[in-house]
Amino acid sequence: MKKTFVTICISFIIFSSCTSQTKYGKPEVDPSAVQKTFLQWWNYHYKNIMLTRDFVALDENSKPISKDEFLNQLTQGYTIPIRLVSNDGLYYYKLFKIKSTSDSSIKATMVAAAVEEYEHYKMEGQLFPPFHFTDLNGNVLTNESLKGKIIVIKCWYIHCAACVKEFPAVNKMVLDHKDRKDIVFVSLAEDTPEQLNVFLARKPLMYAVVPNMKIYMNSILHLNSFPTHFIINKQGKIAKVLMDSEGLEVALSKESKL
């Protein structure tokens, strides 16, 4: 009788403990194997990790933490993010230790990317700086004239290969939202009107293109890399800052439904 009672108690404790815990999926790749070479890790990270998206952030012990803390830990250079397998439509990113035997370039690249992502994340919710732009067609764009609209801003320059490579993707995005009068697409370019007119005649961009924006982008927006995309919500606040068109599409889809 006593043995049966103990067995029941143990079973109850185990059952209670298990059911009170949130279960997360296993890593979609082996965290150690993916660090075998820098190229192997980078191919995984570039194709599967999007730190700008909304995700459930987990520390090394699978404890949920804020996105702020998650990005901050990545800037320390001890961990990499790995996505967990999930069937509920959510994204789960968990931190895993960078192996001492891993290529040092993994740590350096992860830290550089995390620092930039963290800076962008901290910009969310802030008012976008005042502006008074004139595009190549002579249209004047200001905070006041675009009030109440979602503004998508692409920052670039002619000799940025990555900036130009995404033209087809961002042009498609413009076409996909052509019936939305409350969404405006604006691009800020470093180059002169003359340079842009020649270039865009060969490679069209369906945004309103504003020339001579180097000082504004460097001194006001404090940009260090290109392309950089901003989504500004209808209240004039920065909703997202992104480095690629894929992340932009995801973020715009969400913002446009709010």
Side-chain angles (χ1 to χ4, degrees), residues 10 19 33 38 59-60 83 89 108 140 187 189 199 205 218 246 258:
I10 292 174
T19 55
F38 171 78
D59 66 11
E60 295 174 68
R83 183 181 169 185
V140 176
S187 82
F199 183 81
L205 176 61
N218 291 347
E246 181 182 358
L258 294 179

Side-chain angles (χ1 to χ4, degrees), residues 128-136 139-143 146 151-160 163-164 166-167 170 184-193 196 200 205-223 225-232:
F128 191 80
F131 60 86
H132 188 285
F133 304 142
T134 302
D135 69 15
L136 290 175
N139 299 309
V140 176
L141 309 168
T142 67
N143 301 74
L146 298 182
I151 310 170
V152 182
I153 296 181
K154 170 183 168 70
C155 300
W156 68 292
Y157 59 95
I158 285 174
H159 297 294
C160 167
C163 300
V164 178
E166 67 177 16
F167 273 22
V170 296
V184 180
F185 294 85
V186 180
S187 82
L188 309 183
E190 291 188 355
D191 316 277
T192 66
L196 287 166
L200 294 172
L205 176 61
M206 299 180 73
Y207 281 50
V209 180
V210 183
N212 297 324
M213 284 288 103
K214 184 173 184 178
I215 294 177
Y216 182 87
M217 290 191 287
N218 291 347
S219 302
I220 305 300
L221 299 181
H222 307 291
L223 300 185
S225 57
F226 298 86
T228 296
H229 303 272
F230 290 86
I231 295 180
I232 306 170

Side-chain angles (χ1 to χ4, degrees), residues 46-61:
Y46 182 77
K47 296 176 181 177
N48 298 279
I49 300 297
M50 190 186 298
L51 294 174
T52 53
R53 74 159 68 247
D54 295 327
F55 59 87
V56 177
L58 305 171
D59 66 11
E60 295 174 68
N61 298 313

Side-chain angles (χ1 to χ4, degrees), residues 21-172:
Q21 295 178 3
T22 301
K23 294 182 179 180
Y24 302 105
K26 63 180 181 179
E28 62 181 3
V29 294
D30 185 325
S32 295
V34 80
Q35 299 180 56
K36 188 174 182 180
T37 66
F38 171 78
L39 187 59
Q40 192 168 340
W41 167 76
W42 176 245
N43 283 336
Y44 167 75
H45 183 85
Y46 182 77
K47 296 176 181 177
N48 298 279
I49 300 297
M50 190 186 298
L51 294 174
T52 53
R53 74 159 68 247
D54 295 327
F55 59 87
V56 177
L58 305 171
D59 66 11
E60 295 174 68
N61 298 313
S62 296
K63 176 185 175 183
I65 56 177
S66 67
K67 185 174 182 179
D68 185 287
E69 178 59 24
F70 187 89
L71 294 175
N72 186 41
Q73 287 195 36
L74 284 177
T75 66
Q76 307 306 308
Y78 303 112
T79 56
I80 57 172
I82 299 291
R83 183 181 169 185
L84 304 184
V85 176
S86 169
N87 296 317
D88 61 7
L90 299 177
Y91 288 81
Y92 296 85
Y93 290 171
K94 180 179 175 179
L95 297 173
F96 287 87
K97 283 284 188 188
I98 295 178
K99 297 170 57 180
S100 59
T101 55
S102 296
D103 189 323
S104 60
S105 296
I106 293 178
K107 175 179 179 179
T109 304
M110 187 69 258
V111 168
V115 167
E116 193 158 49
E117 291 285 3
Y118 193 33
E119 288 301 315
H120 290 166
Y121 174 72
K122 289 189 291 186
M123 294 173 72
E124 293 180 16
Q126 297 182 22
L127 284 172
F128 191 80
F131 60 86
H132 188 285
F133 304 142
T134 302
D135 69 15
L136 290 175
N137 295 319
N139 299 309
V140 176
L141 309 168
T142 67
N143 301 74
E144 191 61 31
S145 67
L146 298 182
K147 188 175 181 179
K149 296 181 183 293
I150 295 172
I151 310 170
V152 182
I153 296 181
K154 170 183 168 70
C155 300
W156 68 292
Y157 59 95
I158 285 174
H159 297 294
C160 167
C163 300
V164 178
K165 184 179 180 181
E166 67 177 16
F167 273 22
V170 296
N171 283 339
K172 181 180 182 301

